[in-house]
Amino acid sequence: MAHVIIGVTGGVAAYKSGEIVRLFVKAGDDVTPLLTKGAERFIGTRTLEALARRPAPDDLYPHLADADLLLIAPLSANTLAKLATGIADNVLTQLALAFPGPIVAAPAMNTRMWEHAATQHNVELLVGRGVRLVGPAVGELAEGEVGAGRMSEPSEIVDVCRSVLGRSVDDEWRGRSVLVTAGGTREALDSVRYFGNRSSGRMGYAVAAEAARRGATVTVIAANVSLPPPPGVEVVEVASAAELAEETFARERADLIVMAAAVADYRPSSPGQQKKKKDDAAWTVTLERTEDVLMELGRRRRPGQVLVGFAADEGEPGLAAAREKRQRKNVNLIAFNDVSRNDVGFDVDENELVLIGPEGETHVRKRSKEDCAVAILDCVAPLLAPS
Ligand code: CTP
C-alpha cells in the first residue's frame, strides 16, 4: 500500500482526477487530494474527498514526510511554469518544493500552450530534475482543436505512478559508486574550430539520473552537454577525448562504469594554436588515433566491477560487430543502437537498443531514453557483486 498525494490544478481535465483517485483507492492505496483554487472551478473538493474516503487535510505537513509519491494531474501550463522556476505561492506549489519523494505529473493544456518555447523549456527543466511526466496525449481538446495537450488516460497515469513507486530507492544500489560518461567529445583543429559529433548526452544523463534515483553515488563525466545536471549527480565537465580519458581513469574504481559518451576515435595530430587564416589552398588535416578508454578499462577491470559500453553501428552486421566488441573489450554489457535509423539514437528523445550481456540479449523496443536507462540498469543489477 502506498500513500499518494494527488494535486489537481485548474483545467477541464480536472474532472478525470476523480477517476485517478478511485483507481488508487480501489487498489488499497491511501490518497490525499489537494486542489488549487483553479481546480475548484472544475471539480468539487467534496467529490474528491468522497472518492478518497477522507477529508482534504488542513495541515499538509505530516503528509509531506509520510507520502510516497506526489502526483499532479492535471498539471496546467501555469503550475508547470511555477514548478520549473520554484515559485511557491499556494499549498500545492509549496508542497512540490518541499516534497523529498518522487513527483509524477500529467500536463494538460491547449496545444499551442504546450508547444510554446516557454513551456517546452520548463518541461526540460522539470524532466532534468527528475520529475516524471506522463503525456500529454494527442487528441481532440476541449476547444475543439486537435493536437498534443490532452491529459493522458487515468489508467496510464496510475500505471506510471506504480512503476515509479515500485522503483524507489533500492538496497541493491544504495552506496554503489557509478561513473557515467555522456555527450560527445570535441577535438581541436585550431583555437576556434573542432571536430565533434551529434551526441547530446541525453542517454548518459538518463542513466546517471536513474542510478542516482536508485540510491547509487553517481558521477558524470560530461563532454559538451548542455542539459541541466541530473538531480543528485556530480558533474565533471570535459571537452576532448584526452580530458575524458583522464577524468575517467581517475575514477576507474567505480563499481559500475557506463561509457555512454561518443568519444572521438581520431583527433587532429597537430592542432593550430591560433585560428588558421583561410587561403585558396585545400586544408589537409592528419588525424591520429585517440586512446580507446573502454578498451583500457576492460583491460584493467577488477573482479566484481561492471563495465557497460555502447555501440553505434548499422543493421545486422553492426549487431554482429557489437557482439564481438563485447568479448574483445572485456565488457559485461554492450548497448547496441542502430544508427542507420534517424528516429532513434543521436540527438532525439527516444532510443531502441539491443542489450548484449553475458546471459544473452534483450531487445529494448523504441521508448524514451529515461525508460531505456531503466532497462539498462535492470540488466546490470544481477551483474553487480553482492554488497
Ligand atoms: N569509446 C571509448 N574511447 C574511444 C572511443 C569509444 O571509450 N576512444 C567507447 C564509447 O564510449 C562506447 C564504445 O567505446 O562505449 C564504442 O566503441 P567503438 O569501438 O568506438 O565503437 P564504434 O565507434 O561504434 O565502432 P567501430 O569499432 O566500428 O569504430
Side-chain angles (χ1 to χ4, degrees):
M1 191 192 82
H3 177 192
V4 180
I5 301 177
I6 301 189
V8 183
T9 71
V12 182
Y15 79 92
K16 288 191 191 169
S17 57
E19 176 63 5
I20 297 175
V21 172
R22 198 187 66 75
L23 289 171
F24 276 113
V25 170
K26 196 171 139 211
D29 297 309
D30 235 353
V31 175
T32 303
L34 176 61
L35 286 79
T36 62
K37 287 253 168 316
E40 283 170 1
R41 288 189 286 123
F42 294 92
I43 185 166
T45 303
R46 286 274 163 73
T47 311
L48 286 190
E49 286 178 337
L51 289 165
R53 299 184 192 154
R54 59 152 75 200
D58 294 328
D59 179 10
L60 265 171
Y61 192 74
H63 298 278
L64 190 72
D66 174 49
D68 301 297
L69 181 106
L70 169 62
L71 166 66
I72 306 176
L75 173 65
S76 64
N78 187 36
T79 301
L80 191 153
K82 288 183 193 175
L83 298 183
T85 45
I87 292 173
D89 64 347
N90 62 33
V91 183
L92 177 60
T93 48
Q94 283 161 6
L95 179 87
L97 260 194
F99 186 61
I103 301 179
V104 176
M109 64 196 73
N110 167 284
T111 302
R112 273 166 284 134
M113 288 168 83
W114 171 252
E115 285 170 356
H116 195 283
T119 304
Q120 287 304 309
H121 177 64
N122 291 332
V123 164
E124 220 170 85
L125 288 174
L126 286 183
V127 171
R129 248 181 251 147
V131 173
R132 179 67 198 267
L133 295 187
V134 193
V138 175
E140 196 171 320
L141 301 168
E143 304 84 353
E145 288 178 83
V146 176
R150 248 175 95 103
M151 188 170 88
S152 294
E153 287 308 312
S155 58
E156 188 189 341
I157 295 170
V158 173
D159 281 351
V160 171
C161 291
R162 289 253 165 275
S163 88
V164 169
L165 282 165
R167 295 191 278 111
S168 53
V169 172
D170 198 327
D171 281 341
E172 215 166 11
W173 289 87
R174 198 192 299 273
R176 302 274 187 182
S177 53
V178 174
L179 181 67
V180 181
T181 63
T185 62
R186 291 177 183 174
E187 309 306 320
L189 267 165
D190 63 17
S191 61
V192 298
R193 302 180 178 95
Y194 59 82
F195 281 125
N197 63 66
R198 284 169 50 207
S199 177
S200 63
R202 275 182 233 173
M203 191 63 245
Y205 269 35
V207 171
E210 178 62 17
R213 212 194 43 69
R214 291 183 187 207
T217 306
V218 186
T219 302
V220 176
I221 312 289
N224 311 297
V225 179
S226 57
L227 300 169
V233 169
E234 184 201 3
V235 177
V236 177
E237 294 187 0
V238 295
S240 64
E243 287 171 25
L244 183 139
E246 187 184 334
E247 297 294 351
T248 302
F249 292 135
R251 295 166 180 80
E252 66 177 297
R253 293 205 54 80
D255 297 317
L256 165 67
I257 304 181
V258 180
M259 287 292 300
V263 187
D265 294 314
Y266 297 90
R267 68 171 154 244
S269 49
S270 42
Q273 297 305 309
Q274 274 121 31
K275 184 181 173 215
K276 180 187 172 344
K277 280 267 172 226
K278 66 175 169 301
D279 53 32
D280 291 335
W283 182 5
T284 305
V285 177
T286 305
L287 301 176
E288 63 183 18
R289 277 298 308 268
T290 57
E291 180 170 19
D292 188 327
V293 181
L294 184 61
M295 180 85 137
E296 185 54 30
L297 290 170
R299 214 174 276 142
R300 301 183 191 179
R301 179 152 71 91
R302 60 184 170 82
Q305 183 180 43
V306 180
L307 268 187
V308 178
F310 276 70
D313 212 329
E314 302 196 355
E316 265 310 313
L319 182 57
R323 290 181 186 121
E324 182 274 327
K325 189 172 297 173
R326 195 182 81 80
Q327 308 276 355
R328 180 166 45 86
K329 295 200 180 183
N330 190 28
V331 302
N332 305 76
L333 195 75
I334 288 273
F336 167 76
N337 58 4
D338 190 340
V339 287
S340 59
R341 296 173 48 174
N342 56 13
D343 58 332
V344 293
F346 278 131
D347 213 14
V348 291
D349 294 330
E350 291 188 309
N351 214 351
E352 178 164 324
L353 300 169
V354 181
L355 302 178
I356 310 169
E359 303 291 342
E361 296 179 5
T362 308
H363 199 143
V364 182
R365 305 253 167 236
K366 186 174 165 184
R367 63 194 66 183
S368 71
K369 288 185 175 171
E370 286 71 32
D371 288 336
C372 286
V374 170
I376 292 170
L377 293 191
D378 284 349
C379 260
V380 165
L383 307 175
L384 292 169
S387 50

